[in-house]
Amino acid sequence: MTDAAPTASVTTRLFAIAAAIACLALGLITLYSSGIGLIDPKLHRAAGFALALIVAVSVSQKRRAERGATSAPFHLVIDFALVVVGLWSIWSFHFVQSEMETALYDVTSKDAWPALAGLVVFLELCRRLWGWGLFGVGTFGVVYLLFGQDLPSILAHSGFSLKEVAEALWYNTNKGVFGSITNIVLSTVFIFIIFGVLLEGTGAGDTLLKFAFLATRRTRGGPAHAAILSSSMFGTMSGSTVANIVGTGTFTIPMIKKRGFSPTFAAGIEATASSGGQIMPPIMGAAALVMADLTGVGYLSIIVAALFPALFYYFSLFSAVTVEARRQGIDVQEMTVDDEITRTDMINSVLFVGPILVVIGSLLAGMSTSASGFYAVVVLVLLCAINPEVRRDPSRVWKSFLKGAESGATLLIAIAAIGILVGSLDSTGLGLKLANVIAAIRGESLFSALLVAMAGALILGMGMPTLPAYLIIILVMGPAIQALGVSMLTAHMFVFYYGVASSLTPPVAIAAYAAAPIARANPLMTAFMSFRLGMAKFIIPFVFAFYPTILIVEEFSLLPFLWITARTCFCIWLFSSALSGFDRRKLTIPEIVIRFVTAFTCLATDPMFHVPAVCLGLALIAFDVRAARTAASNSEAAQ
């Protein structure tokens, strides 16, 4: 045993070195394909998965070590076998695709074995890196193709042989593991993942926090409002809820608690704010980039469409914090000297302002999304020398570049499972069958159909990162929503929001579970707090489904746009105060109930309902203000 441990340690280090080289190669390929020249699609996909395979095995070894489990020789043999078998199956994909380009080539039974082996390898890596949820999704795709013909009713299909399964899930460049979604991630998403990690590593995130504290220094919420503002800006760059929480929460959560808020509230507001970063323009993370390709709508249009729904969401969080601060009697506090913006901070602000302006400017100039990401990375690398900390430790840039490539590689493993589901649904037509079932359940009501879609989306997305959640939801729910006359962009935005919201939905609220340990709060109570604070995220998709003018790029008309914007903000305030049971004073139960009903009625499409509701809401707020002043006067008189 004494000889086995050093051998295992050496082998693990060799895997780590190989993974670092693979990350470097993956990063360089991404830079080249984004801004310099095109790479043969089949070679790009094969090389991407081959490098991601090596990185994924090494990352799984690191996570095993973090859990305190040593890598026994048995584990290392399995890891080595995964790499060898995985590379063999990827080579088989490249060989078959090359043959198809040069001659009439049909997939044979012999080709099925490396394909099936590849499916097993990537599903196992998906289990290690992303948990049982995505593993189950991918496994369902394979098992359903193989044995679905024996299922009852609409679940049954005509049956697939091993060769046909291999062709549908492995040797197809439109669907399956190497399908169009993989192409989108490799050609567009990867460069922005690297960009987001570089922004964090070069010091842009720290400067963002300081500016957020400066902007919110005169608000009751103080650091809680700063957490919302910084998470919206940081999250749009990182595209990851958990990364956002770790990046900003370690600093903001202790300060929110210090201001007087409870640990559960501090963790809940950080989790809720961080999850919203992915719906906040101008970058919005990986899911928005994929949405642009899937819908055929320009990325710039996606950014414009997402702007006001995102602003509504963050307004709801600001409202929730303001109400909570009033309820706990927390007042505005003066900014300390440590919070002040220094000359270095002003200089470092260029690190995030410059690259984001490059992204927007490149898109306006008509460049591709990937090219705008490439030029943003180039500008960021050139500008990072202005940060004194980067000059003292230039390796920060190098480490961030490798970390970004590693993040992209692990995402690609998740995309393999999604590709399997795509191939399975497309080959069997199950998605369309489910759409018909949803249509039968909801009848002719758009509202009931959206409710069914919302429930299904939250269930399907639980415990998954946003991009896989969004892809699964749109595959299953998208056809049903579009069948009701909802436009493609609106349908995609609808399920995208619930893909993000699923990270806040108990019991599998991954955002809350990431924030709770930082605040030393109960994870389950934090999940319920996040759910309450983020309730507006469950309402806003219904608003733009019934009022597409909110998305600006769809049926825009100025007066209806201004009217629904005002009503939505008013609804959010009534809703937030009702959830807290407090406005300027503690609300009675009848007042809470009336506020809830009024808030929802304000969003009714018929003026016969929403105009009286707005008037009633204004009367409720006026009554609250008057009652609060009367109570304050009586209190002063009593003293």
Side-chain angles (χ1 to χ4, degrees):
M1 291 295 291
T2 53
D3 293 334
T7 302
S9 178
V10 170
T11 308
T12 303
R13 283 200 297 270
L14 289 175
F15 266 111
I17 293 170
I21 295 171
C23 284
L24 175 61
L26 200 52
L28 293 176
I29 288 173
T30 300
L31 288 174
Y32 180 85
S33 62
S34 298
I36 300 173
L38 296 175
I39 299 176
D40 178 52
K42 68 177 182 300
L43 177 60
H44 195 182
R45 298 177 203 191
F49 267 115
L51 296 169
L53 168 69
I54 297 169
V55 174
V57 170
S58 178
V59 170
S60 70
Q61 290 177 343
K62 284 193 289 186
R63 293 185 183 179
R64 192 160 58 214
E66 288 168 1
R67 293 194 301 268
T70 56
S71 291
F74 171 74
H75 291 138
L76 295 173
V77 170
I78 296 295
D79 291 343
F80 185 74
L82 287 174
V83 172
V84 172
V85 174
L87 292 176
W88 171 54
S89 59
I90 292 168
W91 174 86
S92 179
F93 161 79
H94 187 269
F95 171 79
V96 169
Q97 288 297 319
S98 300
E99 290 296 308
M100 287 180 174
E101 288 178 359
T102 57
L104 292 174
Y105 185 87
D106 288 327
V107 176
T108 65
S109 299
K110 188 176 70 172
D111 297 322
W113 296 111
L116 293 174
L119 294 174
V120 171
V121 166
F122 282 104
L123 285 174
E124 166 59 13
L125 289 175
C126 193
R127 183 195 64 80
R128 292 186 182 188
L129 300 183
W130 296 101
W132 290 97
L134 268 181
F135 172 81
V137 165
T139 302
F140 165 79
V142 178
V143 173
Y144 183 61
L145 275 182
L146 288 172
F147 306 108
Q149 67 272 16
D150 299 322
L151 294 175
S153 187
I154 64 166
L155 294 176
H157 57 68
S158 57
F160 291 82
S161 65
L162 286 178
K163 185 183 78 169
E164 289 169 330
V165 171
E167 190 168 7
L169 302 184
W170 195 258
Y171 297 111
N172 197 313
T173 54
N174 293 318
K175 57 187 179 181
V177 174
F178 295 92
S180 57
I181 296 176
T182 294
N183 182 55
I184 294 168
V185 170
L186 284 171
S187 61
T188 304
V189 175
F190 255 61
I191 189 68
F192 280 92
I193 293 174
I194 292 173
F195 173 56
V197 178
L198 278 171
L199 273 170
E200 179 187 355
T202 53
D206 297 335
T207 307
L208 272 175
L209 274 172
K210 277 205 168 185
F211 276 97
F213 273 93
L214 175 66
T216 58
R217 70 189 186 280
R218 298 189 185 279
T219 64
R220 280 177 178 267
H225 281 140
I228 296 169
L229 188 59
S230 61
S231 293
S232 69
M233 294 186 292
F234 189 84
T236 191
M237 298 182 295
S238 71
S240 168
T241 298
V242 175
N244 198 0
I245 290 168
V246 173
T248 60
T250 50
F251 185 71
T252 58
I253 287 176
M255 296 195 72
I256 296 171
K257 290 169 62 180
K258 187 178 178 181
R259 178 61 70 95
F261 292 100
S262 68
T264 301
F265 183 84
I269 199 66
E270 178 59 48
T272 314
S274 293
S275 70
Q278 296 168 90
I279 60 175
M280 187 68 189
I283 298 176
M284 299 173 61
L289 297 163
V290 174
M291 187 196 301
D293 277 271
L294 291 180
T295 59
V297 176
Y299 183 52
L300 200 57
S301 296
I302 297 286
I303 292 172
V304 173
L307 179 60
F308 275 88
L311 292 176
F312 289 148
Y313 177 66
Y314 278 100
F315 173 71
S316 75
L317 296 185
F318 266 81
S319 301
V321 169
T322 300
V323 170
E324 185 70 16
R326 285 178 181 175
R327 191 177 69 82
Q328 296 190 28
I330 297 172
D331 294 320
V332 177
Q333 295 181 12
E334 291 297 320
M335 185 173 68
T336 64
V337 176
D338 292 339
D339 297 328
E340 292 180 357
I341 301 297
T342 64
R343 181 173 176 272
T344 301
D345 293 325
M346 294 300 295
I347 294 172
N348 285 351
S349 66
V350 178
L351 288 175
F352 60 86
V353 173
I356 288 179
L357 288 177
V358 168
V359 171
I360 297 172
S362 300
L363 292 172
L364 290 173
M367 294 183 185
S368 67
T369 309
S370 56
S372 67
F374 170 79
Y375 288 115
V377 168
V378 172
V379 168
L380 177 60
V381 171
L382 293 175
L383 289 175
C384 69
I386 66 175
N387 186 348
E389 293 184 11
V390 174
R391 291 200 298 273
R392 281 194 293 270
D393 182 16
S395 66
R396 287 178 56 161
V397 180
W398 171 253
K399 291 174 182 174
S400 297
F401 181 74
L402 294 181
K403 184 181 176 183
E406 181 182 291
S407 298
T410 55
L411 175 63
L412 200 57
I413 300 301
I415 294 302
I418 299 300
I420 292 171
L421 181 66
V422 171
S424 179
L425 292 178
D426 187 76
S427 300
T428 60
L430 180 60
L432 294 174
K433 293 176 184 177
L434 290 175
N436 292 332
V437 171
I438 292 172
I441 294 173
R442 53 87 182 168
E444 296 303 319
S445 168
L446 173 60
F447 181 73
S448 61
L450 293 177
L451 277 178
V452 172
M454 178 192 77
L458 292 174
I459 293 169
L460 287 170
M462 276 187 187
M464 292 189 189
T466 303
L467 179 56
Y470 157 69
L471 287 171
I472 292 171
I473 297 163
I474 195 62
L475 286 168
V476 177
M477 301 292 175
I481 300 173
Q482 287 180 247
L484 295 163
V486 175
S487 71
M488 179 184 289
L489 176 59
T490 304
H492 277 254
M493 288 288 289
F494 186 88
V495 301
F496 173 48
Y497 261 69
Y498 287 114
V500 174
S502 64
S503 67
L504 298 173
T505 309
V508 193
I510 55 174
Y513 293 154
I518 302 174
R520 296 182 181 178
N522 181 287
L524 190 59
M525 295 306 295
T526 301
F528 282 108
M529 176 63 76
S530 302
F531 183 71
R532 177 172 77 80
L533 293 170
M535 280 297 289
K537 196 182 286 184
F538 299 88
I539 300 171
I540 292 168
F542 283 88
V543 176
F544 60 69
F546 283 95
Y547 299 96
T549 187
I550 285 290
L551 300 180
I552 299 177
V553 296
E554 300 243 339
E555 308 171 22
F556 181 75
S557 182
L558 182 59
L559 290 178
F561 171 80
L562 294 175
W563 180 225
I564 187 56
T565 298
R567 282 158 50 203
T568 303
C569 291
F570 191 53
C571 164
I572 286 170
W573 179 262
L574 290 174
F575 193 70
S576 297
S577 58
L579 280 172
S580 293
F582 201 93
D583 195 336
R584 293 181 180 273
R585 62 184 176 84
K586 186 177 180 180
L587 301 176
T588 63
I589 292 177
E591 284 179 306
I592 291 171
V593 173
I594 294 171
R595 284 194 179 220
F596 272 126
V597 174
T598 304
F600 286 115
T601 311
C602 282
L603 299 176
T605 54
D606 191 340
M608 292 278 291
F609 292 101
H610 70 239
V611 171
V614 170
C615 295
L616 177 58
L618 290 171
L620 287 169
I621 290 177
F623 174 78
D624 181 69
V625 171
R626 184 176 178 181
R629 286 177 179 173
T630 302
S633 299
N634 293 338
S635 177
E636 289 175 3
Q639 293 176 358

